[in-house]
Amino acid sequence: MSLRTPADGHVEDVAPGRGTLPPRARYASSDAASLSLNGRWRLRVSATADAEDDAFARPGHDTGDWAEVTVPGHWVLQGHGAPIYTNHLYPFPVDPPHVPTENPTGDHLRHFDLPGDWPDAGDAVLRFDGVESCARVWLNGTELGDFKGSRLPHEFAVGHLLRPAGNVLAVRVHQWSAGSYLEDQDQWWLPGIFRDVTLLHRPPGSVGDFFVHASYDHVTGAGTLRVDSDVPGRVTVPELGVDVATGEPVTVPVAPWTAETPRLYDGVLATAGERVPLRIGFRTVALEDGLIKVNGTPLLFKGVNRHEWHPRHGRALDLDTMREDVLLMKRHNINAVRTSHYPPHPAFLDLCDEYGLWVIDECDLETHGFVEQDWRDNPVDDARWTPALLDRAARMVERDKNHPSVVMWSLGNEAGTGRGLTAMADWIHDRDPARPVHYEGDLDCRDTDVYSRMYPPHAEVERIARGLDGGTRRRRRLPLILCEYAHAMGNGPGGLADYQELFETYDRLQGGFVWEWIDHGIEHPELGYAYGGDFGEELHDGNFVCDGLLFPDRTPSPGLTEYGKVIEPVRIGPGGTDGTVRVTNRYDFADLSHLEFEASHQIDGRPAGTHRLTVPPLGPGESAEVKLPPAPDDEGGEVQWTVRALLAGDLSWAGRGHTVAWGQGTVVRRAPVAAAAGARPAVDGDTVTLGPAVFDARTGAPRTVAGVRVRDLRLDVWRAPTDNDHGAHWQSDVRCGPHWRELGLHRMRHRLDAVETDGEALTVRTRVAPAGREAGLRTVYRWTSDGERLRLTVSVVPEGDWTVPLPRLGVRFGLDAASTDAVSWFGGGGEAYPDTQAASLLGRWEAGVAELQTPYVRPQENGARADVRWVELGGLRIEGEPEFWFSARPWTNEQLDAARHRTDLTPGDTVWVNLDHRQHGIGSQSCGPGPLPRYFLWPEPAEFSFVFSVPGD
Ligand code: IPT
């Protein structure tokens, strides 16, 4: 006699589910009644799938000792159990379709009454917009069925079971199911009813499924509308004078929908029993001449990969958060979203239609963990799973097919290859021939309509662009998009501008999608933001889950500012002749009539007049040379012009005056820094006095400069490695971070060889090198003064065998924190590194030391300012020759390196200042390629100077 059978049959059943209605189009509203069942639900969590029987689903069950949770939500983020983060490893033994006995199971209960005016006639449908990972549902004690497909909608017909009052809805949710094998996306595993639950009245004669076909003929300017509907009815679009039967095409002159000009027409689909508002966008997507075109024009995707994320609510997003994402994207010139790696909450697509974003809608499918066994037993190549895959494809396409913003379907992510994927592609092509199909794993493009890659290096992108990559005949005729590139983990990504240059140069390149939109850090009382491993997971991938352009609280990181600049839709650069700028319209569809231009000058970073600039309303791709207002008298200073393209009026996503693009150019270069020489060093016991500075005679180190105490000034080559410095473990041996540490660059020793005074200099000769190695840096500090100003010239000559670049090359020193807070400088405004400095705007800036820190979730090198001419802080003014990189922090680089979370860092009594001659690039190696060779900081002889003085006016 068997005392125990495996978990409920449906949990490990590869079939998608039982009892659900066929998938259909989703619409935001209608005149039929509906009742949201969101809110507080009763919850009981068990450790296994079968710990409890299903008695709880019967009306009258005593839930007195149950907890409560908010639906939509994840129970592990509401005090029951804990989240788990893995990138591609399944957090359970891989033995499909089996799941562990330890299978956290949340029994959810909700009592509800029907509103008094709920109609008697008709039916009702109960809709779940998203439940992870598997649900079994009862209404008033009757089982409705079960389903999998976490980020897809499922509906049940429930009219016959409803009572006016005292309805009991019971949902048993298992964290693990056969479906988990199809949902191995790189994200937190978060069980729960995490999207809306809604009861929808279905009046007799109500709308069933419908398909809005709204195409645009860019030659004639006409739109053709045909709404196919299971239930016949009429379609009206008053603005267009359209009133036709369903199924009947009508052609009228229209303005097309594009992401740049998201023109929507309000219409209504009316059947005998229901009126459904439609928002119609006319556009035609086509693969033509090897390019993806919309309305006859090739697109350039300036995209991001967007996971749904909220630092407290996980993937349960409210409308405001979704809107915030869209607004932030629009304000940073992003024009496209890949919904990595599952269909988003449907309201997000409504927003994309409304505000204008191209969407690649991706199916809820990833089986990445099978890569560990060379893809053996991969469900996507096992016919038993094909019905589940087709179910997922259909639920996505049917739900989202009426969104003009959706221009491509994606089969999923990182699922290898197999007949299941082919079946999905065939089904989608058949159901919706008007949209191309995407899937990155299909390298030969057998099933797909676009060649898609992730993280290829620049050189490879260029080879593909030139058609030199070989590949199948079919692939050679397709455009390339980078469905993922530029890994925004921690500080970075680097190299964006170089990718964009390629995209803009070659037709075959239709742009890409930065990985990814937001850090999935979880708000945590002690850690700031938690990442993988912080909940005691036995398998995890650490902070690989924090790789977004936004911090978890949606504050833009410098990476987003950089991206927004790199992809700006107007290019503003120096013109062919002095006193002109070249303005180029880089929109695909829009002219520049929604923008106004402003030109200003600055002298030594100080504003020196702003003027309107008249720029013709250039069409897409056009450019013009525009005369700048005359430059002001330079008064011996350095002069720049800055031209900004601003919104000329309020738009839905930003107000008048919002900066869309800018360019800057130099009119008069910076004069050389005045020499500081002539004064003679005076030795007095154990000190040397030179101009405003007092040195330690034995070490040659400055003690005070202009009365300001200066601690431990010396050469510094170390930076707290960034995630991109560390590189991903699967990357080749060119990863810098590990090499730097292996070489010992974090523990350099400074050998003092000589302290010399000659006629007018104090010279300190040293050799800087790590223990155990022959490689070193001969470093000479030469100090001179004119009596008031103090000049330091550092010369560095590498010795020995250097096989790795340096992290940085410069000096560092400490200042008393008590008197060092306000910092002002003339140089680049935001954080920048050699390959992340497109957005660095030259000017005069001020910030407190705290503000100079970029709060990466895992602490690492951050906050450098580029092209700094001078900086003032702590009672000192420091000018550089040449310009330098500046950073200041209330802790050392070593402390920054050791910290795992922001909360590990507390300000000390010293502000540590780095003045760098050079910095190593950032790159994208936390997943993709490292910095381009031209951003490497190879050790080579170098000389650079700083002049210290007392701040003036
Ligand atoms: C790629 C994945 O598609 C994505 O989900 C994410 O994990 C990203 O990497 C890294 O953050 S797969 C990668 C191994 C190429």
Side-chain angles (χ1 to χ4, degrees):
M1 181 174 89
S2 165
L3 293 181
R4 185 184 168 94
T5 49
D8 278 2
H10 75 284
V11 177
E12 297 190 333
D13 188 350
V14 299
R18 292 167 303 154
T20 53
L21 291 166
R24 62 180 180 123
R26 163 76 181 217
Y27 43 92
S29 67
S30 91
D31 63 349
S34 70
L35 177 66
S36 168
L37 297 175
N38 294 348
R40 298 296 281 172
W41 288 50
R42 290 295 205 156
L43 173 77
R44 172 182 66 191
V45 180
S46 314
T48 62
D50 60 356
E52 301 283 351
D53 61 22
D54 51 16
F56 81 103
R58 282 181 225 135
H61 187 81
D62 177 12
T63 55
D65 58 347
W66 286 33
E68 275 194 55
V69 278
T70 295
V71 169
H74 307 278
W75 71 73
V76 291
L77 296 183
Q78 298 184 61
H80 308 276
I84 300 172
Y85 167 57
T86 57
N87 167 14
H88 75 279
L89 292 179
Y90 288 102
F92 47 78
V94 179
D95 182 22
H98 301 294
V99 296
T101 301
E102 294 142 329
N103 187 358
T105 293
D107 290 332
H108 292 70
L109 260 192
R110 170 78 146 90
H111 292 90
F112 65 92
D113 300 336
L114 293 180
D117 56 356
W118 193 266
D120 288 333
D123 201 346
V125 158
L126 178 63
R127 182 177 67 206
F128 293 89
D129 280 316
V131 182
E132 179 168 332
S133 84
C134 163
R136 192 171 159 202
V137 187
W138 296 262
L139 183 62
N140 295 330
T142 300
E143 182 170 354
L144 301 175
D146 56 75
F147 62 87
K148 306 182 187 81
S150 298
R151 297 104 202 174
L152 292 162
H154 295 87
E155 290 183 325
F156 295 100
V158 295
H160 58 296
L161 298 172
L162 281 179
R163 301 170 188 162
N167 291 287
V168 184
L169 176 57
V171 186
R172 171 163 287 178
V173 182
H174 303 289
Q175 172 152 21
W176 310 121
S177 69
S180 305
Y181 283 96
L182 304 181
E183 295 172 6
D184 191 25
Q185 292 94 343
D186 174 11
Q187 60 179 350
W188 295 97
W189 298 88
L190 296 175
I193 305 175
F194 73 97
R195 286 188 190 156
D196 311 85
V197 183
T198 317
L199 184 69
L200 302 160
H201 180 243
R202 306 311 300 135
S206 57
V207 168
D209 183 35
F210 62 95
F211 201 156
V212 177
H213 302 276
S215 59
Y216 179 73
D217 183 331
H218 64 277
V219 178
T220 63
T224 299
L225 175 68
R226 192 187 80 235
V227 179
D228 295 334
S229 173
D230 287 359
V231 176
R234 287 201 81 75
V235 177
T236 47
V237 187
E239 198 185 338
L240 295 173
V242 167
D243 182 350
V244 288
T246 53
E248 210 176 274
V250 52
T251 299
V252 279
V254 296
W257 189 96
T258 74
E260 294 168 9
T261 54
R263 180 68 162 94
L264 292 173
Y265 291 91
D266 286 318
V268 174
L269 165 62
T271 59
E274 190 177 16
R275 290 170 61 81
V276 173
L278 305 177
R279 307 212 75 195
I280 302 163
F282 292 87
R283 89 238 173 322
T284 293
V285 188
L287 189 72
E288 254 171 43
D289 315 321
L291 296 173
I292 297 163
K293 297 185 184 176
V294 171
N295 306 336
T297 300
L299 296 185
L300 189 58
F301 291 114
K302 302 166 178 177
V304 287
N305 282 279
R306 175 181 180 269
H307 266 287
E308 295 181 312
W309 189 249
H310 186 282
R312 281 194 304 284
H313 306 134
R315 287 187 287 275
L317 260 57
D318 56 34
L319 189 60
D320 285 345
T321 304
M322 294 184 234
R323 191 185 303 273
E324 201 180 335
D325 277 351
V326 169
L327 295 179
L328 280 165
M329 288 177 192
K330 294 292 289 185
R331 290 173 190 159
H332 288 88
N333 298 326
I334 287 163
N335 72 359
V337 183
R338 172 177 177 230
T339 69
S340 55
H341 297 304
Y342 40 81
H345 189 289
F348 179 74
L349 297 178
D350 294 334
L351 295 168
C352 292
D353 293 345
E354 182 184 332
Y355 290 93
L357 287 165
W358 309 114
V359 176
I360 299 185
D361 196 358
E362 188 150 278
C363 198
D364 190 4
L365 174 64
E366 172 157 345
T367 62
H368 205 165
F370 285 87
V371 72
E372 293 290 315
Q373 54 203 62
D374 290 330
W375 298 104
R376 203 169 352 90
D377 298 333
N378 184 2
V380 310
D381 198 25
D382 178 337
R384 286 171 296 182
W385 292 81
T386 303
L389 303 187
L390 288 173
D391 180 72
R392 285 169 188 249
R395 284 183 192 283
M396 168 178 74
V397 171
E398 300 300 6
R399 190 193 77 165
D400 295 341
K401 60 186 180 285
N402 294 330
H403 288 282
S405 55
V406 175
V407 290
M408 239 189 272
W409 301 113
S410 176
L411 303 180
N413 184 59
E414 292 281 11
T417 51
R419 59 196 115 153
L421 288 163
T422 302
M424 289 170 84
D426 288 348
W427 185 89
I428 295 175
H429 276 130
D430 183 57
R431 176 67 176 138
D432 183 15
R435 286 184 179 98
V437 168
H438 166 273
Y439 173 62
E440 183 268 349
D442 180 16
L443 277 183
D444 292 337
C445 302
R446 279 182 315 168
D447 300 326
T448 52
D449 305 305
V450 55
Y451 179 28
S452 175
R453 292 289 305 277
M454 38 173 85
Y455 308 104
H458 297 80
E460 188 181 356
V461 172
E462 184 154 19
R463 266 200 311 282
I464 298 172
R466 293 169 178 267
L468 301 176
D469 58 311
T472 58
R473 179 181 294 270
R474 174 166 167 77
R475 189 176 92 184
R476 292 202 301 271
R477 291 203 300 259
L478 296 179
L480 178 78
I481 64 165
L482 306 188
C483 68
E484 293 176 26
Y485 79 112
H487 201 244
M489 185 178 182
N491 186 337
L496 282 169
D498 309 276
Y499 277 111
Q500 195 62 27
E501 203 180 310
L502 291 170
F503 298 160
E504 292 179 6
T505 305
Y506 296 99
D507 289 345
R508 191 185 184 191
L509 308 181
Q510 292 201 268
F513 297 77
V514 165
W515 187 268
E516 66 175 305
W517 177 236
I518 185 169
D519 288 343
H520 314 205
I522 296 179
E523 210 172 274
H524 189 285
E526 283 93 46
L527 302 175
Y529 291 110
Y531 50 78
D534 289 336
F535 298 97
E537 303 105 290
E538 61 181 19
L539 269 187
H540 68 82
D541 288 285
N543 66 316
F544 203 61
V545 79
C546 292
D547 51 2
L549 295 171
L550 295 180
F551 293 115
D553 65 358
R554 292 192 153 65
T555 309
S557 80
L560 181 58
T561 311
E562 175 80 0
Y563 193 39
K565 173 74 175 99
V566 162
I567 59 179
E568 59 191 4
V570 183
R571 276 274 173 277
I572 302 167
T577 52
D578 276 359
T580 64
V581 282
R582 177 156 287 277
V583 178
T584 307
N585 177 352
R586 299 217 54 100
Y587 286 104
D588 292 326
F589 299 91
D591 66 22
L592 301 188
S593 55
H594 63 295
L595 300 174
E596 55 194 13
F597 290 77
E598 184 190 276
S600 55
H601 281 96
Q602 62 184 22
I603 304 174
D604 285 338
R606 274 216 185 80
T610 299
H611 302 80
R612 281 258 158 277
L613 196 70
T614 309
V615 174
L618 304 166
E622 292 177 357
S623 76
E625 204 131 303
V626 180
K627 211 164 154 30
L628 283 165
D633 179 8
D634 58 59
E635 298 153 17
E638 172 181 2
V639 181
Q640 274 92 24
W641 56 260
T642 306
V643 171
R644 290 186 172 79
L646 315 168
L647 288 185
D650 292 342
L651 293 185
S652 60
W653 48 269
R656 174 167 187 203
H658 166 82
T659 302
V660 168
W662 57 269
Q664 204 171 46
T666 293
V667 183
V668 179
R669 286 182 188 286
R670 179 182 181 220
V673 177
R680 304 180 66 85
V683 185
D684 179 10
D686 63 354
T687 62
V688 180
T689 304
L690 174 60
V694 178
F695 295 82
D696 184 312
R698 275 180 312 122
T699 64
R703 285 183 182 169
T704 58
V705 176
V708 174
R709 195 160 77 99
V710 172
R711 281 184 58 184
D712 295 339
L713 186 147
R714 61 190 203 184
L715 190 81
D716 195 9
V717 296
W718 182 243
R719 75 182 185 197
T722 64
D723 294 312
N724 284 315
D725 289 337
H726 280 309
H729 59 82
W730 62 83
Q731 294 281 355
S732 64
D733 56 2
V734 293
R735 296 189 293 144
C736 281
H739 281 295
W740 289 340
R741 211 179 290 276
E742 198 196 322
L743 183 60
L745 297 185
H746 59 308
R747 49 174 171 77
M748 297 294 263
R749 297 291 165 174
H750 297 247
R751 189 184 76 209
L752 185 60
D753 289 339
V755 179
E756 301 160 354
T757 54
D758 55 32
E760 56 173 43
L762 171 69
T763 304
V764 183
R765 301 183 190 282
T766 68
R767 188 174 188 278
V768 182
R773 307 281 171 187
E774 65 144 358
L777 303 165
R778 277 248 173 240
T779 305
V780 177
Y781 308 83
R782 185 163 191 276
W783 300 90
T784 58
S785 174
D786 59 4
E788 274 177 24
R789 299 153 72 245
L790 177 74
R791 183 176 182 116
L792 164 65
T793 299
V794 183
S795 350
V796 181
V797 178
E799 293 179 341
D801 191 13
W802 282 92
T803 52
V804 290
L806 294 169
R808 64 165 9 116
L809 181 68
V811 296
R812 78 153 200 209
F813 57 89
L815 296 175
D816 287 343
S819 48
T820 309
D821 185 34
V823 182
S824 55
W825 71 99
F826 174 26
E831 176 183 288
Y833 289 84
D835 54 349
T836 63
Q837 56 172 324
S840 174
L841 179 71
L842 272 187
R844 285 201 188 204
W845 305 94
E846 284 174 16
V849 170
E851 279 174 86
L852 290 172
Q853 316 309 308
T854 309
Y856 294 113
V857 171
R858 187 193 71 81
Q860 54 196 274
E861 165 67 27
N862 70 82
R865 275 22 186 207
D867 303 319
V868 176
R869 278 74 167 143
W870 54 255
V871 58
E872 293 181 358
L873 81 170
L876 290 176
R877 174 184 174 91
I878 307 162
E879 286 170 274
E881 192 162 62
E883 294 81 1
F884 59 100
W885 304 86
F886 162 77
S887 40
R889 13 183 156 268
W891 35 72
T892 61
N893 289 329
E894 290 72 17
Q895 287 165 326
L896 186 63
D897 188 9
R900 290 192 62 244
H901 293 90
R902 293 176 187 179
T903 47
D904 294 338
L905 290 166
T906 40
D909 59 5
T910 304
V911 166
W912 290 98
V913 178
N914 275 89
L915 311 176
D916 292 312
H917 177 53
R918 294 190 59 194
Q919 275 270 1
H920 184 65
I922 295 293
S924 200
Q925 211 170 15
S926 54
C927 189
L932 285 169
R934 62 175 168 278
Y935 304 118
F936 270 54
L937 170 41
W938 285 109
E940 56 184 36
E943 189 171 287
F944 47 95
S945 303
F946 302 104
V947 175
F948 296 76
S949 59
V950 179
D953 49 300

